[in-house]
Amino acid sequence: MTRTPSDSRPDPSGSTPPGEETPRPGHSHRHPRAARHRHTRRLSRPRLPRAKRAPPGLPAGIEYHELTATSPDTPTRILCTDYSPERIETQEVGDVAAFLAIHRPSWTQVRWIHVEGLQDQSALRTLAEKYKLHPLAIEDILDRGQRPKLEDYPGEDDLPGRLFVMAHGIQLIENQLVSEPTGFFLGRTTLLSFQHSTCPAIGEIRKRLYSPRSRVRQNDASFLLYVLIDAMVDRYFPILDASSERLESAEDEVLTRPDGLSLHAMHEIKRDLVMIRRSAWPMRELVAQLQRDHHECLSEIAQTYFRDVYDHCVQIIDLIETYREIASAVTETYVSIVSNRTNDIMKVLTVIGTIFIPLTFLAGVYGMNLEMPETHWAPAYPLFWVACLVIAGIMLWRFKRGGWL
Amino acid sequence: MTRTPSDSRPDPSGSTPPGEETPRPGHSHRHPRAARHRHTRRLSRPRLPRAKRAPPGLPAGIEYHELTATSPDTPTRILCTDYSPERIETQEVGDVAAFLAIHRPSWTQVRWIHVEGLQDQSALRTLAEKYKLHPLAIEDILDRGQRPKLEDYPGEDDLPGRLFVMAHGIQLIENQLVSEPTGFFLGRTTLLSFQHSTCPAIGEIRKRLYSPRSRVRQNDASFLLYVLIDAMVDRYFPILDASSERLESAEDEVLTRPDGLSLHAMHEIKRDLVMIRRSAWPMRELVAQLQRDHHECLSEIAQTYFRDVYDHCVQIIDLIETYREIASAVTETYVSIVSNRTNDIMKVLTVIGTIFIPLTFLAGVYGMNLEMPETHWAPAYPLFWVACLVIAGIMLWRFKRGGWL
Amino acid sequence: MTRTPSDSRPDPSGSTPPGEETPRPGHSHRHPRAARHRHTRRLSRPRLPRAKRAPPGLPAGIEYHELTATSPDTPTRILCTDYSPERIETQEVGDVAAFLAIHRPSWTQVRWIHVEGLQDQSALRTLAEKYKLHPLAIEDILDRGQRPKLEDYPGEDDLPGRLFVMAHGIQLIENQLVSEPTGFFLGRTTLLSFQHSTCPAIGEIRKRLYSPRSRVRQNDASFLLYVLIDAMVDRYFPILDASSERLESAEDEVLTRPDGLSLHAMHEIKRDLVMIRRSAWPMRELVAQLQRDHHECLSEIAQTYFRDVYDHCVQIIDLIETYREIASAVTETYVSIVSNRTNDIMKVLTVIGTIFIPLTFLAGVYGMNLEMPETHWAPAYPLFWVACLVIAGIMLWRFKRGGWL
Amino acid sequence: MTRTPSDSRPDPSGSTPPGEETPRPGHSHRHPRAARHRHTRRLSRPRLPRAKRAPPGLPAGIEYHELTATSPDTPTRILCTDYSPERIETQEVGDVAAFLAIHRPSWTQVRWIHVEGLQDQSALRTLAEKYKLHPLAIEDILDRGQRPKLEDYPGEDDLPGRLFVMAHGIQLIENQLVSEPTGFFLGRTTLLSFQHSTCPAIGEIRKRLYSPRSRVRQNDASFLLYVLIDAMVDRYFPILDASSERLESAEDEVLTRPDGLSLHAMHEIKRDLVMIRRSAWPMRELVAQLQRDHHECLSEIAQTYFRDVYDHCVQIIDLIETYREIASAVTETYVSIVSNRTNDIMKVLTVIGTIFIPLTFLAGVYGMNLEMPETHWAPAYPLFWVACLVIAGIMLWRFKRGGWL
Amino acid sequence: MTRTPSDSRPDPSGSTPPGEETPRPGHSHRHPRAARHRHTRRLSRPRLPRAKRAPPGLPAGIEYHELTATSPDTPTRILCTDYSPERIETQEVGDVAAFLAIHRPSWTQVRWIHVEGLQDQSALRTLAEKYKLHPLAIEDILDRGQRPKLEDYPGEDDLPGRLFVMAHGIQLIENQLVSEPTGFFLGRTTLLSFQHSTCPAIGEIRKRLYSPRSRVRQNDASFLLYVLIDAMVDRYFPILDASSERLESAEDEVLTRPDGLSLHAMHEIKRDLVMIRRSAWPMRELVAQLQRDHHECLSEIAQTYFRDVYDHCVQIIDLIETYREIASAVTETYVSIVSNRTNDIMKVLTVIGTIFIPLTFLAGVYGMNLEMPETHWAPAYPLFWVACLVIAGIMLWRFKRGGWL
């Protein structure tokens, strides 16, 4: 028995995953313990991030022979693209074993094998055996909750070193932040990439590869890695944009009509910023390593371009921190405004109350059915009004002097 | 007289320790000063962490001759497992001295001696003398409040160096966080482990050892250490999971029906996160050292796998910090919502009061038994109503204009 | 198709950009997707900073052949200044290609080419080809949201190394912070500078160049760079000055008449400080690198003077942090004062209410039309008054004792 | 004239110092300027820490000839202990000069001279001259406000190097934190220690020295230093224990009966934690240096044991930080609970007020002495009650719907 | 035209500068642009710190020929002190040029030239030319807003290196923090010091120099620098002392009679701590550099003594941080106490209101002039009282049960 990565279970609905690491209910026969249903419906808020749920004590790493899950519903799709500056060819691989048995064409300078959908693990196993992927790396690929990171598996004997890169792209799906982890194995002329679901950005980059003048065609596999990671980092910008728009409109509301502010919306913004930040910081670390550390598989030109991605990451972090500070200033201002308004409201009530409560008492006194000498005294009534006006006047004057009005 | 580690006293109840470092009442004849009873009952909250209670000024370290406590109630259980890739044998050791006098079988590649229950110290003394354990390390093992740490006792003369590792696993026992410190002495072919109470994870790992294909059988003693520490680190995940569920439901309550929020529950969540964090940070430091520093007892492959444990530790810290930020955002939102609601409530009272208090005064005036000309004037009554409506109308219009309604 | 820098679109109004990275509506035929109109009017608050809006997945860097935008409305203006200690000449360059074909005069020690307005990119292309500017650097120049940074493009073959510097000056335009990014390429005898709009400081520095005794004339191109960056850093001081004045008057208001405090103004101050800080920190980093790192294009004397600019940057950061702390202390004091005043107001209402509500009840009782024995008892009325005074006296005495009055 | 260390004045009362660095009133003829009386009595709170009060501009360091204060009231007591593994002797030194003139016995391996009470400085002067103590170190010893620190005075000519160590122990005297600074001069075979007042721990350690089997007897002077500093560090634990108990009971009160919480007590806890932390951090730094840095006077075995003290220091800091976080969570929860209760109270008043104020107005209307047609209409009275019930019902229904009840 | 240091303008009033960097109104003919008058009077609060106000774009550094300001009102006073262990002489320098033309006497080991008052710059110019002071250093000396810093101007050709030190002393003038920047140029046998105004500490140190036994006479110029900086650092202690006293009395007030707390005073304390900290941190950095870095002009013994000054700086920072934490705890406690009191006040009003409002309604009902059957029923009146007592009793019982009383 092995630790269960949360996505080795078939997903009957086949829909896009609604939350980062939400285990989806399934009917996996191997892991009944993980099939925890949640009946409480939370409409719009994404779940809090969770870690993998394998019970403690299971061995780490996934050995090749453990990659046995098969899922006819969501088959794994493998696309292999070979290219050189002059030529490019893409094929969809059906039988992985047969495909890997054939030598790659001699004109190929970079081979990019992209695997989409990791429910059916037989293809993964064949690839892992062929390219001698490390069991810990395989576990990381299958784990949706894995954080972005860089792992250097140094070469042994006949095989050159590999760089294992785990990157995160984020998307907004139905107003929820969904993070799409992607695993890369970078060799000197080969790039393997693994994703849980289909991502349109991959297709667009493949299209760009077909343009013979594009820089990526002129360069090596690490440049292709750069292009893919650049695309993932670029994904943060529209999401930050959406956050900044929500934040701006919240700020407008606080300053113009604080009653209209949806505290829910404000909470969502803060929460989203926490989540984006949680994802962006390790991405920044990852790209910093990629642009700084020397590795046999990373070309110098790719590292120059990674510096550019690093700048974007710094910009993302900077925007997140700026938004967080603004959000915190908005909250502070909101609390000040609300307590100020409570103060104003109390002041009105107190002024009214302080003026009329004594007067009402006075009126109540003369409404008593006791024998009062005043009742028969004609000027009593006008004098009563005079007294009321005098009392109210004194009160108002004191409030004025005290700065309450 | 010597410093008293809190667990060198016999525990008559034999129950699982209810709190991290709570000294349990006992009738130790050697240490009457430590027998402090607490009669105040706190039902569900775990105690705050405390440090060891030995009075200041006693010598540090526990010399071998001081290990004299014997406790027939909770005897020490010692299990010795010898294994090599081909063969494995486990025996429960009754007479430690006799056992240690015999040479280990020649086929053994790793010997793992696991000691459970440290109240009866005679076996501990025999082990300490045989393996020349450092007095300070023995004190650390016996101290329940010891933080995770790594201590390198370099080899002398005939004995190879030892690595002393103090690790923490945490458990939820009756909704209380209990931290189980475990001490390890790692030699080149030997691993000693010491625990205060029986822990099921140890048994499971021993079972895994019996599977001849398991990685741990193929590797050395430091790999066994890795497997044990990995199991302890994995223990944090279900506990974080429980925290995140409580946090999510608190968040739901704040946003949907703030009155229903149990501020107690919120406080417990924050408190638990402080406690888990307090335990997780030094674990991270410990594993960072294990994966980074070179030591003659640590094999390269074990360090590769410790990198994986390190990733888990980073993930744990990251989740804790994320939960703490969310918890703080929830608290902030709660305070905003409550002050907003107070504001709304005040507004209702003020609107009602401001409209009716002057009208009530007016009614009171005409209820007076003074001689008022209006009393005999027929249209006075309808005019009174008109005046009331006009005053109320003006008030309502002003409230409307002021944005209070 | 290429990533669109936000300023490659013609600006029909030709006015100074009202916000840092606000994309201005335009009729660019190449980038219809960027022409997002915002109809919601925000009168005085500047927009939150945004990042570039190019859709994810486009290639980074701008190749020379992509520099094709032409804008007859806001033509690019190029001024070339050649100088040596003895002589100086400035010419406005019309035909860049023709100009660059001619060798620079032999007496020239420094050539400074300043480009203003980047909507018309044909000149930019010619310059980029002549000086072999890096595509990533060109993209940075065209991107208004670029953060200050230093990039070292090492020399190749026949060309000496280049230092690419991106600096920010800030200005207050109609009470809004506008940041003006400027790109520099520093060679050994050449300085290229690129700005989006006309900046008066450039003209003043050119005038200073004409004074033969000025230090800048005696020194090399890196000293000219120093003078330009010094001018940009000096721009922060009047803006901080304005902030400190607004902060001081807010502080005065909080301490003398808290009702008068504009919470809006306070929020604006905090927001502006966040924005200035966001711009100043990377400037400090940039200048720290310039004064510290060795580079073939930076002369020692320029680095001595950059130390002075660095001191100014440290002073700016120090002032910002001081203002932020004061602003936070002001907010804290404001909240304390407001809650104190609410307390005072409540106290008045409570004292009045607590005294008169029971008395009004008593008056109400004797106003009842039930048969009450007291109604026919002569001393009832004076006794009623006595009771009222006694009750009020007791209440007042208790309030006095409780420290409420 | 020289700078006055605060304790060079005779203390007529001879009592234990009531506050950390409180200058006690005295009648020093040399330093009349320091004799500042404080008549304001603060019963239980310890004073805030202060720095030395010598007027600015005096020379630093105390030269030997300036050590002239004599105080017959609190004489200096000097105890000299010589020991080797076999033999130990302690003598109280009366005439320091005569004592120092005699060579130490040949069997002595460690000589420990302990000086208690620093008001009478003549003995100090003799010691300082004999052991060539640095003027700055003497000033530090006499200054009660000195922070823990390590100073290495390298050896010159015939004299080996000295290590000057300033350590802090803390005590609870009448519920007030009192910090007792102790100065040590460590040579290769000599340890000098200086304390302002008698400390029982010193006596206990001297007793331990008399046990021939104790480790300290087997080791050198630096091990004795370790034992003394270990005793000082151990002093923090009971004080932290007391803090944790007060914090736990405050937490209990907040969660069970928030009205009962003594905000004073909570403030004292926070204040004490600030004070303990202020003292513990530099102790940690000090011990870190002692266990890490090489020095000719520090033996390897002592450094191994200092690692143990360092662990204790880390544990102390960790507990302090944990308590501070819990204290902050308790405060947050308290504020939330109080504002929640205010909300509840307001709700009750508002519900009652909103229901009865309009009804009271209605009753007031029909109590008017105007000519009202209703007065002669029989069903008016029951209809009035019906109207009241209907109005109250509608109000209650709305409150119910609004979630106020 | 040159950048204007704020003090190069003649000060007609000649009074002590009232604020740190407040530009004083003057009638400088050279810099009319800086003469900004502020008519708004702020009585006791010091101004916020500002930076220099020179308009952006002026060249940095002040060339010798620009030192032309002359101010007959506040003439520059120059005192030259020559000393060796045996001999000392002080002369007031009238004609600087003539003085500098004469060689220094051969017996002199240290020459200290102290310049007071920098409005008249002709002497400064002569000195700058003689000692080849760097233009940037001259600008720093003239700039009152300059932060403490250390600048090493390495020697050239015939001139040994110079160390330029900018230090800050602070003073309380009329309860306002005033910072007095002082510039030093340290050579091997010469110390130049520059101050804007007369400072008594300088005179005292000169007096100390006349004592032949004083350490400073035995040592070199760097020791004199140490003595001067030590005097400036010592200035912080009485000011911190004053802060701690104000903080203690604020704490007393919060805990004993929170109404009496002057929130203004509390705000001033926080503000002052921000200001002192702002000044103390760079002083600490400066002294850390002086005690750590090697420089040809700094003797070893001076560096040993600078370590002592560094300890004082650390103590100052430590006290500031402790006071800030206490101040923040006091504020927190104040807010808790105030919201607790508001809660108590509301409770009283609510209890009174909730009991009497329904009763008043009841009394109002029976005061109606409608035809009520009860009016003619004799027991109605006593029953009314019974009902009132029952209702009040139920209410009180519920409040009791709810813990409100």
Side-chain angles (χ1 to χ4, degrees), chain E residues 22 48 55-56 73 78 110 130 241 251 271 278 314 321 323 333 369 403:
Chain E
T22 320
L48 284 178
D73 297 330
I78 299 175
V110 179
K130 160 80 179 175
D241 232 41
E251 199 183 15
R271 201 185 199 277
R278 184 183 171 254
V314 169
E321 296 306 326
Y323 295 164
T333 300
N369 293 323

Side-chain angles (χ1 to χ4, degrees), chain C residues 208 215 226 234 237 241 244 248 251-252 255 307 311 314 318 323 325 332-333 340 343 346 369, chain E residues 3 45 48-51 53 57 60 63 147 149 151 264 267 270-271 278 334 342 346 366 368:
Chain C
R208 263 167 64 195
R215 259 176 205 274
Y226 147 70
D234 276 354
F237 289 107
D241 232 43
S244 87
E248 269 181 354
E251 198 183 16
D252 273 345
L255 292 182
R307 283 205 306 207
D311 276 358
V314 169
D318 171 59
Y323 295 164
E325 290 191 355
E332 250 182 38
T333 300
N340 208 10
N343 195 292
M346 291 307 306
N369 294 323
Chain E
R3 175 174 304 174
R45 213 139 4 93
L48 284 178
R50 305 261 168 118
R53 310 225 173 197
E63 307 294 333
R147 302 176 80 226
K149 71 170 183 176
E151 206 80 53
H264 289 226
H267 183 74
K270 277 190 212 159
R271 201 185 199 277
R278 184 183 171 254
Y334 179 77
T342 302
M346 290 308 306
Y366 290 111
M368 292 194 298

Side-chain angles (χ1 to χ4, degrees), chain C residues 60-308:
Chain C
I62 295 189
E63 307 294 333
Y64 302 156
H65 62 85
E66 295 171 352
L67 290 165
T68 54
T70 58
S71 160
D73 297 331
T74 55
T76 297
R77 189 164 165 250
I78 299 175
L79 278 168
C80 173
T81 309
D82 291 297
Y83 65 84
S84 71
E86 295 80 28
R87 194 168 152 191
I88 178 163
E89 256 173 39
T90 302
Q91 50 184 312
E92 180 148 1
V93 180
D95 181 352
V96 190
F99 171 75
L100 290 174
I102 306 165
H103 273 288
R104 66 169 75 181
S106 56
W107 57 264
T108 303
Q109 284 188 2
V110 179
R111 164 163 283 193
W112 170 27
I113 301 176
H114 179 65
V115 181
E116 258 172 32
L118 303 174
Q119 280 80 24
D120 181 356
Q121 298 173 343
S122 61
L124 190 57
R125 181 178 180 173
T126 319
L127 279 167
E129 280 167 353
K130 159 81 177 176
Y131 289 103
K132 298 199 174 63
L133 308 181
H134 198 282
L136 291 173
I138 296 175
E139 190 190 10
D140 289 342
I141 284 175
L142 293 177
D143 177 13
R144 274 184 175 277
Q146 189 54 47
R147 302 176 80 227
K149 71 171 183 175
L150 181 78
E151 206 81 52
D152 177 9
Y153 293 106
E156 285 163 34
D157 303 331
D158 55 335
L159 203 75
R162 285 277 152 69
L163 206 60
F164 171 59
V165 174
M166 193 74 212
H168 267 203
I170 54 171
Q171 283 178 272
L172 269 189
I173 295 182
E174 291 164 23
N175 275 321
Q176 295 190 20
L177 281 174
V178 176
S179 122
E180 174 65 31
T182 311
F184 299 96
F185 286 93
L186 175 68
R188 262 195 284 219
T189 58
T190 314
L191 182 73
L192 306 185
S193 55
F194 297 87
Q195 271 187 329
H196 289 91
S197 51
T198 308
C199 170
I202 298 288
E204 282 170 28
I205 283 160
R206 192 172 293 112
K207 258 187 235 140
R208 263 167 64 195
L209 272 175
Y210 273 82
S211 147
R213 290 178 61 193
S214 81
R215 259 176 205 274
V216 61
R217 278 283 287 283
Q218 321 296 326
N219 282 291
D220 67 342
S222 62
F223 199 92
L224 178 60
L225 176 67
Y226 147 70
V227 168
L228 289 164
I229 287 183
D230 187 42
M232 299 179 95
V233 169
D234 276 354
R235 289 288 184 86
Y236 285 85
F237 289 107
I239 288 167
L240 281 175
D241 232 43
S243 288
S244 87
E245 257 174 69
R246 287 154 66 202
L247 185 53
E248 269 181 354
S249 78
E251 198 183 16
D252 273 345
E253 269 167 21
V254 163
L255 292 182
T256 55
R257 51 202 138 88
D259 290 325
L261 175 74
S262 167
L263 286 168
H264 289 226
M266 201 67 211
H267 184 74
E268 299 295 308
I269 293 168
K270 278 189 211 160
R271 200 186 201 276
D272 280 2
L273 287 173
V274 168
M275 292 305 168
I276 302 173
R277 180 157 160 269
R278 184 183 170 255
S279 174
W281 268 101
M283 277 303 276
R284 180 176 163 280
E285 283 314 296
L286 166 66
V287 177
Q289 276 176 290
L290 281 171
Q291 59 109 353
R292 190 185 57 218
D293 300 352
H294 290 283
H295 191 272
E296 55 176 314
C297 298
L298 285 172
S299 68
E300 209 177 303
I301 190 161
Q303 289 200 303
T304 301
Y305 277 85
F306 270 123
R307 283 205 306 207
D308 187 58

Side-chain angles (χ1 to χ4, degrees), chain D residues 237-266:
Chain D
F237 288 107
I239 288 168
L240 281 175
D241 231 41
S243 288
S244 88
E245 258 174 67
R246 287 154 66 202
L247 184 54
E248 270 181 354
S249 78
E251 198 183 15
D252 274 345
E253 270 167 20
V254 164
L255 292 182
T256 55
R257 54 203 135 87
D259 290 325
L261 176 74
S262 167
L263 285 168
H264 288 227
M266 200 65 212

Side-chain angles (χ1 to χ4, degrees), chain A residues 50 57 63 149 264 270, chain B residues 208 215 244 251 255 311 332:
Chain A
R50 305 261 168 119
E63 307 293 333
K149 71 170 184 177
H264 289 227
K270 278 190 211 160
Chain B
R208 264 167 63 194
R215 256 174 206 274
S244 88
E251 198 182 17
L255 292 182
D311 276 357
E332 249 181 40

Side-chain angles (χ1 to χ4, degrees), chain A residues 37 39-40 50 54 76 78 82 84 99-100 105 113 131 151 177 180 198 215 259 264 270 280 321 371-372:
Chain A
H37 289 268
H39 291 296
T40 54
R50 305 261 168 119
T76 297
I78 299 175
D82 291 299
S84 72
F99 171 74
L100 290 175
I113 300 176
Y131 289 102
E151 206 81 52
L177 281 174
E180 174 66 29
T198 307
R215 257 175 206 273
D259 290 325
H264 289 227
K270 278 190 211 160
E321 296 306 327
E371 299 214 353
M372 296 178 289

Side-chain angles (χ1 to χ4, degrees), chain A residues 7 17 40 51 90 94-95 105 115 132 192 218 220 246 315 327 330 335:
Chain A
D7 46 358
T40 54
T90 301
D95 181 352
V115 182
K132 299 199 175 61
L192 307 184
Q218 320 296 326
D220 67 342
R246 286 154 67 204
Q315 214 176 340
V330 169
V335 168

